């Protein structure tokens, strides 16, 4: 096992999840804030807002999951480590 | 010699009067807005604002409460030069007053221009024509006198002074626009308006009962701004109906998403078993189970308070999947004979993604089919 590859994998995994979480984090925060505001303004439309939010969260969290998958692959199923 | 003294006195006295007149004029001229106040103190205050020199000769920019951008610097330089020239002339005049040879030299010197003093005698001649018993004007003669073309104060510098400091248009006149009122101004206007409304209501009982009176306006509460239909407020039953419809829509979305994900997972697992055998199919099946669990967690996250920020940590699902894959391959793969593969497992996990896209398209299509049925929320 090459120690250089191991170290680079760990650093790469950290960067992948860390940097990949920035954008979706901002997006999720914005979406959640707008949803809460919408529910506060129009409580009767809470169900519709929630349904839209569910799909939005599914789309947004996928971006974080991509980075997470790369990080996990590097950590647990690294193809460069024999 | 005595005739010379008397003539000198005749020249000297009007010159001092002229200087006084010019001072009075220079005080009154730059500040026509000080005329509104009508006294000299306000005129002095107005002069400070316009940047005219103080009697002590202190430059404008050295005074307190004067901002640099309010100073007309060229006019100030002109004023300074004029001040210096006047001080020099005054010194010469004082040195030449009385019986001295310096004055005589001035008189003989053709370079000394005494025409200003000579012209200043005209108002004096006019004063002589006034009736002795008549009281003088209340404003004073020096102030009320208009600037004549040949007057001593109508020098080029005074013209600059007039042009630069005697602004007829206020700087707060923004070509028809006004500065936005401050909160204090708004409160004051509100108070004044309410006061006027109260007075009007006290005079007119019919107006007091109308919806425009202050008393009626104050009855308006935030609850009056609730959504209305056709100009009336929604009843509780209508609100409950709307809430029920929206909740049904959410439940429908949730169920559809879950069912679509389950369908894609099942078909994908069958296909994986058919194509790649047990290891591929098992990996896809594990990933599909993770996808279903993830969608359930996502739904409970959306239902939780905080607009999706609370609820269970759904992001942990892929972490658990990968750790399970790692542990399985490490401990049980050899015993059971099935090795899990990461790529099919990830494909199985991401089946929720096409399912959510499909659901979003279905929502859009449903809304288009229903037309503008949701416009009641607009």
């Amino acid at each position: 096992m090459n120690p250089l590859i191991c170290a680079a994998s760990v650093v790469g995994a950290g960067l992948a999840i860390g940097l990949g979480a920035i954008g979706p984090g901002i997006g999720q925060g914005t979406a959640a804030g707008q949803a809460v505001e919408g529910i506060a303004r129009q409580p009767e439309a809470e169900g519709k807002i929630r349904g839209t939010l569910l799909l939005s969260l599914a789309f947004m969290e996928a971006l974080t999951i991509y980075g997470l998958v790369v990080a996990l692959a590097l950590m647990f199923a690294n193809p460069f480590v024999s | 010699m005595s005739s010379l003294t008397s003539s000198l006195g005749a020249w000297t006295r009007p010159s001092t009067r002229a200087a006084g007149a010019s001072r009075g004029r220079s005080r009154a001229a730059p500040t026509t807005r000080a005329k509104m106040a009508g006294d000299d103190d306000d005129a002095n205050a107005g002069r400070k604002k316009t940047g005219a020199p103080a009697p002590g000769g202190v430059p404008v920019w050295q005074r307190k409460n004067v901002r640099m951008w309010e100073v007309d610097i060229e006019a100030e330089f002109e004023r300074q030069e004029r001040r210096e020239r006047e001080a020099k002339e005054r010194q010469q005049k004082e040195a030449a007053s009385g019986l001295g040879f310096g004055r005589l030299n001035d008189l003989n010197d053709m370079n000394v221009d005494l025409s200003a003093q000579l012209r200043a005698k005209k108002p004096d001649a006019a004063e002589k024509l006034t009736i002795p018993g008549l009281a003088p004007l209340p404003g004073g003669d020096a102030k009320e006198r208009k600037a004549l073309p040949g007057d001593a104060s109508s020098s080029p510098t005074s013209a600059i002074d007039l042009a630069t400091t005697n602004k007829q248009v206020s700087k707060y006149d923004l070509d028809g626009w006004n500065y936005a009122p401050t909160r204090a101004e708004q409160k004051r206007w509100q108070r004044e308006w309410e006061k006027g409304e109260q007075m009007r209501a006290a005079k007119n009982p019919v107006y007091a009962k109308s919806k425009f009176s202050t008393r009626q306006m104050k009855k308006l509460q935030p609850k009056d701004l609730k959504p209305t239909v056709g100009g009336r407020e929604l009843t509780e039953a209508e609100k409950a109906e709307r809430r029920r419809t929206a909740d049904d829509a959410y439940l429908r979305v949730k169920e559809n998403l879950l069912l679509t994900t389950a369908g894609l997972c099942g078909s994908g697992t069958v296909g994986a078993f058919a194509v790649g055998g047990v290891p591929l199919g098992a990996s896809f099946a594990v990933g599909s189970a993770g996808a279903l669990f993830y969608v359930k967690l996502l739904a409970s996250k959306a239902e939780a308070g905080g607009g999706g920020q609370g609820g269970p940590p759904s992001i942990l699902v892929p972490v658990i999947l990968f750790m399970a894959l790692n542990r399985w391959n490490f401990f049980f793969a050899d015993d059971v004979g099935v090795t899990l593969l990461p790529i099919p497992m990830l494909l199985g996990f991401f089946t929720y993604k096409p399912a959510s896209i499909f659901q979003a398209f279905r929502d859009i299509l449903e809304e288009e089919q229903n037309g503008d049925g949701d416009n009641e929320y607009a």
Side-chain angles (χ1 to χ4, degrees), chain A residues 28-29 32 36 42-45 47-48 50-51 53-55 57-59 61-62 64-66 68-69 72-73 76-77, chain B residues 239 242-243 246-247 250 294 298-299 301-302 307 309 314-315 318-319 322 326 346 349-350 352-353 356-357 363 374:
Chain A
Q28 279 196 12
V36 169
Q42 193 71 264
E44 292 85 17
K48 275 181 170 288
R50 205 174 269 165
L53 181 67
L54 172 65
L55 293 175
L57 287 179
F59 287 125
E61 271 200 355
T64 317
I65 289 168
Y66 296 151
L68 183 68
V69 164
L72 291 170
F76 298 109
Chain B
K239 284 180 188 174
R242 280 189 171 193
R243 190 173 289 122
D247 287 344
Y250 167 67
Y294 177 75
L298 212 58
K301 194 175 185 179
Q309 291 301 300
S314 55
I315 198 81
V319 179
F322 257 91
N326 190 268
L346 277 178
F349 174 71
F350 280 117
Y352 84 92
K353 192 77 180 171
S356 57
I357 292 171
D363 281 354
D374 291 336

Side-chain angles (χ1 to χ4, degrees), chain A residues 5-29:
Chain A
I5 290 178
C6 288
S9 299
V10 170
V11 171
L15 286 175
I17 185 64
L19 296 178
I22 293 173
I26 294 171
Q28 279 196 12

Side-chain angles (χ1 to χ4, degrees), chain B residues 231-378:
Chain B
R232 65 176 176 80
E233 193 178 338
L234 286 174
T235 62
E236 289 299 322
E238 285 171 334
K239 284 180 188 174
E241 175 65 22
R242 280 189 171 193
R243 190 173 289 122
R244 193 182 57 78
T245 309
D247 287 344
D248 287 346
Y250 167 67
L251 288 174
R252 203 166 53 245
V253 167
K254 192 171 79 170
E255 285 175 4
N256 283 340
L257 184 61
L258 201 61
L259 284 174
T260 314
T261 309
L264 283 175
C265 286
S267 56
T269 305
V270 170
F273 269 111
V275 171
V278 175
L280 195 68
S283 302
F284 200 93
V286 172
S288 301
L292 288 171
F293 188 50
Y294 177 75
V295 170
K296 288 282 283 183
L297 288 182
L298 212 58
S300 38
K301 194 175 185 179
E303 288 167 11
Q309 291 301 300
S314 55
I315 198 81
L316 284 181
V317 174
V319 179
I320 293 168
L321 281 179
F322 257 91
M323 292 184 79
L325 174 132
N326 190 268
R327 295 299 96 184
W328 175 271
N329 287 344
F330 192 74
F331 290 113
F332 309 108
D334 294 337
D335 297 338
V336 180
V338 176
T339 305
L340 291 178
L341 302 170
I343 302 297
M345 191 186 71
L346 277 178
L347 281 175
F349 174 71
F350 280 117
T351 43
Y352 84 92
K353 192 77 180 171
S356 57
I357 292 171
F358 181 67
Q359 179 60 38
F361 272 109
R362 194 157 57 183
D363 281 354
I364 293 167
L365 289 174
E366 277 182 8
E367 282 188 10
E368 281 189 357
Q369 282 175 357
N370 293 336
D372 53 356
D374 291 336
N375 281 350
E376 57 188 357
Y377 294 109

